[in-house]
Amino acid sequence: MNPPGTTGSLRIDPAAAGSFLPELDGAGRGRLSIACNHKGEDTTMVSKARVSLVVGAVWAATLLVASAASAADVDANALWSKNCSICHGKDAKGDTKVGKERNIKDLTDPKVQAELKKPEMIKKIKEGVKDDKTGKERMKAFGEKLSDPEINALVDWVLALKH
């Protein structure tokens, strides 16, 4: 038995499948044409699902544009000075009033550097850091203030401080 709204079943042999071609109508609704070649005969199967390919295309284009802005395009030094140096210090040693109060680690120390992992650093910058014992904020979250490329640039900047 076929699902409601369908007229038949479709089996595609991966070896015989040709291509998948998205098409848009004037209203932004789409259909997916699947061109197949079975025993020398060209046939086109069409799914009439009301899929908004425009939304998908805009979403995909947005991701491409966002990923094109790489960490290399960001001035990490300026970001550090503006957002991080008040606590971590301009040299990332944590030798500031706030750094001393919060016992901030020297990010240039080889032992500290050996513990740093990029995914964890990104998460901490995005979500902030709370003291495990007291629940007090040790570092505020920057996830809504900084873009992903900016956060990646900061992480790469810190990781490049290795001696």
Side-chain angles (χ1 to χ4, degrees), residues 100-133:
K100 290 174 184 174
E101 289 171 359
R102 296 186 185 178
N103 198 27
I104 292 177
K105 294 178 181 177
D106 175 355
L107 297 176
T108 67
D109 183 315
K111 291 177 186 173
V112 172
Q113 281 278 331
E115 297 172 1
L116 298 176
K117 305 293 182 248
K118 190 168 184 170
E120 293 168 12
M121 294 172 70
I122 290 170
K123 182 178 181 186
K124 287 179 179 182
I125 294 170
K126 283 185 175 186
E127 299 175 8
V129 177
K130 291 192 177 184
D131 186 288
D132 291 335
K133 295 176 185 173

Side-chain angles (χ1 to χ4, degrees), residues 20-34:
F20 297 90
L21 307 168
E23 301 172 12
L24 290 176
D25 66 11
R29 289 186 301 266
R31 63 186 189 172
L32 182 63
S33 297
I34 306 170

Side-chain angles (χ1 to χ4, degrees), residues 35-110:
C36 303
N37 185 334
H38 181 67
K39 295 183 182 177
E41 299 174 6
D42 287 329
T43 59
T44 301
M45 310 298 280
V46 179
S47 168
K48 294 183 180 179
R50 292 184 178 242
V51 177
S52 177
L53 293 177
V54 170
V55 172
V58 169
W59 179 76
T62 302
L63 287 177
L64 287 173
V65 170
S67 65
S70 69
D73 299 330
V74 177
D75 184 355
N77 284 322
L79 285 171
W80 182 267
S81 293
K82 182 178 179 183
N83 299 287
C84 312
S85 66
I86 192 161
C87 298
H88 291 278
K90 289 186 181 197
D91 59 1
K93 293 183 181 281
D95 192 20
T96 65
K97 181 180 179 187
V98 176
K100 290 174 184 174
E101 289 171 359
R102 296 186 185 178
N103 198 27
I104 292 177
K105 294 178 181 177
D106 175 355
L107 297 176
T108 67
D109 183 315

